[in-house]
C-alpha cells in the first residue's frame, strides 16, 4: 500500500517534470524554447509564430515593427529566494551574470541587402509602442534615443549601413546601450577553433540558421558576443567583448525579447530557438529538434521536377515505342497476301493467322517438304480440327 502510494507520487512528480521540460520555464531565471509551437510568448506588431514553430519577426510589408517577449519578467538583481523570506529592496545590488543563446536566420530577396535588422534586448517594459520602425529597429525613436531612462540593453544584428548612426558596414553585430548608436560593433564572423582560431567571415543574410551567445559577467562587467554557423559549437574566443557595467543600466525586473522592423526590402527575420539563464550558462539548444526554415521560391520544388520530369518523359516515350513496335511486329507477322486470282474464285481461303496457329508458327517439326511452290507444312486447324 505504502509502496504503491510512493510509486504513484513518483510518477506524478515525473510527469510534472516532463510537462515542465516541454514548455519554457522561468524557475531560477532560466528558460529554453526549442522552436516556438505552442509557446506563450508576448507578441506585438507583425511578429507571429508560424505553424512550423518559427518565430517570424517581419513579414515583408515595409515600415512595420515586431516584438516578441518571454512573457514573465526576470529578476536581474534580486533572485527570488527559495523557501521564502522577503528579499527586501534590490536597488543597491549588482546585475547578476546572465547568458543568452538563440538561433536565427535572415532571408532577404537580395543577396547582400536586407532591411533593417533584428535585435535581442532587455527592457523594463513590454510597451514599445512609441518606438520608431525602420533604422530604430522598433526600440528607440528620435525622442528617446540615447536617454538613460530607457534602461535598455541591446545586441543588434544589423544588415543596413546607416551612416547617421555610424554603422561600420551592412553586416555587423553591435552592442547598444540605451541608443541605436552602438557602443561597439563587429563585422559578423567567428574565430574558428577548427582552423587555429582564425577569423572567418559570416553573412547575416545568408538564408542559413546561425547561433549567437551573449554572456555577461558580473565580476568583470564584460559582455561577450559570439556567433557561429549552426553546426559549429561555441567558439572559444568571442567575436567581441565590451566592458560595460550593466548595473548602471538594467532595472531589477526586466523583460527579455526580440525586436525587428522592416524597411523597403522584403526581408524575413526568424528565430528558431532561444535559451536564457541568470547566474549560469544558457541551456544548450538541441539543434536537431529546431523547426525548419520555409522552402524558398519555386527553386527547390522545381529541382525535383528538373530531375524527375525528363526521366518520366523518357520512360513514357520508351513504353509507347515498345507498344508500337509490338503492334507493328504483330501486323507484319500476320500480314495477309492477297492474290489477283482470289478475286475471281471467291473468298475461300485461310487467314495467315489461322495457318500460323495451325503449324505453331511454321515449326520445322510440321515441315513435310519443299518444292517449286515453296515449303509444305502439316497443320491442324483450330476451327475444324
Ligand atoms: C504583414 O502584416 C500586416 C499587419 O498584420 C498586414 O497588414 C500585411 O498585409 C502583412 N504583409 C504580408 C506580406 O503578409
Ligand atoms: C502566458 O503568460 C502570461 C504572462 O505570464 C500569463 O498571464 C498567462 O497565464 C500565460 N498563459 C498560458 C496559457 O500559460
Ligand atoms: C552587393 O554585392 C555586390 C557584389 O556581390 C557589390 O558590388 C555591392 O556593392 C554590394 N552591395 C552592398 C550594399 O554591399
Ligand atoms: C504604451 O505606451 C504609450 C506611450 O508610450 C501609452 O500611450 C500607452 O497607453 C501604453 N500602453 C499600455 C498598454 O500601457
Ligand atoms: C522625429 O520623428 C518623427 C516621426 O518619425 C518626425 O515627424 C520628426 O520630424 C522627427 N524629428 C526629428 C528632429 O528628426
Ligand atoms: C572579411 O570581412 C572583412 C570586413 O568586412 C573584410 O575586410 C575581409 O576582406 C573579409 N575577408 C574575406 C576572406 O572575405
Ligand atoms: C557596477 O556598478 C554598480 C552600481 O554603480 C557598482 O555597485 C559596482 O561596484 C560596479 N561593478 C564593478 C565591477 O565596477
Amino acid at each position: 500500500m505504502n509502496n504503491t502510494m510512493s510509486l504513484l507520487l513518483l510518477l506524478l512528480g515525473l510527469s510534472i517534470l516532463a510537462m515542465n521540460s516541454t514548455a519554457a520555464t522561468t524557475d531560477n531565471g532560466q528558460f529554453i524554447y526549442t522552436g516556438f509551437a505552442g509557446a506563450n510568448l508576448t507578441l506585438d506588431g507583425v511578429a507571429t509564430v508560424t505553424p512550423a514553430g518559427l518565430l517570424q519577426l517581419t513579414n515583408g510589408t515595409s515600415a512595420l515593427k515586431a516584438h516578441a517577449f518571454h512573457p514573465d519578467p526576470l529578476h536581474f538583481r534580486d533572485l527570488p529566494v527559495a523557501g521564502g523570506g522577503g528579499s527586501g529592496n534590490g536597488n543597491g545590488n549588482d546585475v547578476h551574470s546572465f547568458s543568452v543563446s538563440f538561433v536565427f536566420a535572415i532571408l532577404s530577396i537580395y543577396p547582400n541587402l536586407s532591411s533593417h535588422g533584428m535585435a535581442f534586448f532587455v527592457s523594463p517594459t513590454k510597451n514599445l509602442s512609441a518606438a520608431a520602425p525602420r533604422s530604430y529597429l522598433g526600440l528607440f525613436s528620435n525622442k528617446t534615443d540615447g536617454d538613460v531612462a530607457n534602461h535598455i540593453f541591446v545586441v543588434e544584428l544589423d544588415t543596413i549601413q546607416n551612416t547617421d548612426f555610424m554603422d561600420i558596414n551592412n553586416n555587423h553585430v553591435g552592442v547598444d546601450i540605451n541608443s541605436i548608436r552602438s557602443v561597439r560593433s563587429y563585422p559578423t564572423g567567428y574565430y574558428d577553433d577548427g582552423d587555429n582560431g582564425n577569423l572567418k567571415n559570416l553573412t547575416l543574410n545568408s538564408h542559413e540558421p546561425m547561433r549567437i551567445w551573449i554572456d555577461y559577467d558580473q565580476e568583470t562587467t564584460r559582455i561577450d558576443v559570439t556567433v557561429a554557423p549552426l553546426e559549429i559549437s561555441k567558439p572559444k574566443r568571442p567575436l567581441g567583448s565590451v566592458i560595460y557595467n550593466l548595473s548602471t543600466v538594467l532595472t531589477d525586473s526586466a523583460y527579455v525579447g526580440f525586436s525587428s522592423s522592416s524597411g523597403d526590402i522584403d526581408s524575413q527575420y526568424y528565430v528558431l530557438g532561444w535559451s536564457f539563464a541568470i547566474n549560469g550558462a544558457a541551456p544548450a539548444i538541441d539543434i536537431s529538434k529546431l523547426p525548419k526554415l520555409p522552402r524558398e521560391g519555386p527553386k527547390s520544388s522545381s529541382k525535383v521536377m528538373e530531375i524527375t520530369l525528363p526521366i518520366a518523359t523518357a520512360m513514357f516515350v520508351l513504353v509507347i515505342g515498345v507498344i508500337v513496335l509490338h503492334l507493328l511486329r504483330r501486323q507484319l507477322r500476320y500480314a495477309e497476301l492477297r492474290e489477283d486470282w482470289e478475286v475471281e474464285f471467291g473468298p475461300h481461303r485461310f487467314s495467315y493467322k489461322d495457318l500460323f496457329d495451325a503449324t505453331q508458327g511454321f515449326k520445322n517439326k510440321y515441315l513435310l517438304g519443299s518444292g517449286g511452290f515453296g515449303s509444305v507444312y502439316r497443320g491442324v486447324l483450330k476451327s475444324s480440327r
Side-chain angles (χ1 to χ4, degrees):
M1 186 64 183
N2 239 344
N3 276 346
T4 18
M5 277 295 278
S6 48
L7 187 69
L8 275 175
L9 280 174
L10 181 72
L11 281 175
L12 190 70
L14 281 177
S15 57
I16 286 171
L17 264 178
M19 274 167 66
N20 273 345
S21 64
T22 53
T25 53
T26 340
D27 304 329
N28 330 312
Q30 184 172 316
F31 63 77
I32 179 163
Y33 295 94
T34 311
F36 296 92
N40 182 20
L41 297 177
T42 307
L43 304 176
D44 70 48
V46 285
T48 53
V49 172
T50 69
L54 295 163
L55 170 56
Q56 183 185 326
L57 291 172
T58 53
N59 73 354
T61 301
S62 82
L64 296 174
K65 297 186 285 178
H67 301 110
F69 296 92
H70 181 67
D72 305 314
L74 296 156
H75 291 276
F76 281 85
R77 296 167 189 266
D78 266 344
L79 289 179
V81 181
S87 49
N89 79 41
N91 288 345
N93 300 343
D94 285 0
V95 161
H96 291 290
S97 298
F98 63 88
S99 160
V100 189
S101 84
F102 64 91
V103 177
F104 69 95
I106 301 175
L107 283 64
S108 171
I109 54 165
Y110 298 121
N112 57 357
L113 212 55
S114 75
S115 63
H116 266 267
M118 61 175 282
F120 164 83
F121 69 107
V122 184
S123 159
T125 174
K126 288 200 247 186
N127 181 0
L128 293 167
S129 57
R134 296 188 184 268
S135 50
Y136 283 103
L137 292 181
L139 292 168
F140 307 103
S141 69
N142 58 12
K143 283 207 189 73
T144 64
D145 195 67
D147 191 343
V148 292
N150 288 328
H151 299 291
I152 293 178
F153 162 69
V154 182
V155 173
E156 61 171 38
L157 305 170
D158 196 337
T159 46
I160 283 193
Q161 180 165 24
N162 190 322
T163 47
D164 290 347
F165 301 145
M166 291 166 282
D167 282 349
I168 53 168
N169 65 10
N170 65 351
N171 180 48
H172 63 270
V173 180
V175 173
D176 307 352
I177 309 281
N178 290 328
S179 166
I180 203 71
R181 287 174 179 80
S182 302
V183 174
R184 276 293 294 278
S185 54
Y186 306 87
T188 310
Y190 69 105
Y191 293 97
D192 187 1
D193 293 327
D195 182 25
N196 296 321
N198 280 323
L199 182 63
K200 297 267 168 73
N201 285 348
L202 284 174
T203 303
L204 290 172
N205 172 30
S206 66
H207 298 219
E208 295 292 335
M210 271 180 235
R211 205 165 2 173
I212 183 162
W213 295 264
I214 303 157
D215 300 288
Y216 176 68
D217 182 60
Q218 180 180 354
E219 296 293 315
T220 57
T221 68
R222 198 179 74 229
I223 304 156
D224 285 339
V225 181
T226 316
V227 191
L230 187 57
E231 66 278 7
I232 295 210
S233 54
K234 189 180 183 181
K236 285 198 198 79
R237 179 175 169 192
L239 172 65
S241 296
V242 172
I243 306 285
Y244 204 106
N245 189 345
L246 290 184
S247 297
T248 65
V249 178
L250 299 182
T251 53
D252 169 37
S253 175
Y255 295 92
V256 289
F258 297 100
S259 179
S260 182
S261 69
S262 51
D264 298 324
I265 295 159
D266 185 351
S267 317
Q268 316 293 328
Y269 294 84
Y270 291 104
V271 183
L272 291 74
W274 181 24
S275 71
F276 182 91
I278 283 180
N279 284 330
I285 295 169
D286 183 350
I287 59 171
S288 67
K289 294 204 172 76
L290 292 175
K292 298 278 172 288
L293 288 171
R295 278 185 175 200
E296 284 186 82
K299 253 190 259 161
S300 45
S301 66
S302 76
K303 206 151 222 169
V304 176
M305 290 299 278
E306 257 171 48
I307 297 166
T308 55
L309 203 67
I311 294 177
T313 311
M315 289 289 279
F316 184 73
V317 168
L318 201 77
V319 166
I320 294 290
V322 165
I323 290 171
V324 166
L325 248 160
H326 182 79
L327 288 176
L328 262 173
R329 258 185 64 178
R330 211 182 132 94
Q331 189 103 70
L332 282 174
R333 184 180 262 189
Y334 302 140
E336 298 289 340
L337 190 71
R338 277 182 199 280
E339 309 257 350
D340 288 344
W341 57 264
E342 276 187 293
V343 183
E344 228 176 293
F345 291 95
H348 187 78
R349 56 178 289 161
F350 302 106
S351 77
Y352 182 76
K353 186 176 187 302
D354 286 345
L355 294 178
F356 187 90
D357 288 342
T359 57
Q360 292 179 18
F362 303 103
K363 269 198 179 152
N364 273 344
K365 154 170 135 178
Y366 299 109
L367 183 68
L368 297 175
S370 299
F373 287 103
S375 305
V376 180
Y377 290 86
R378 174 171 61 89
V380 178
L381 287 170
K382 223 190 250 168
S383 50
S384 62
R385 307 211 54 80

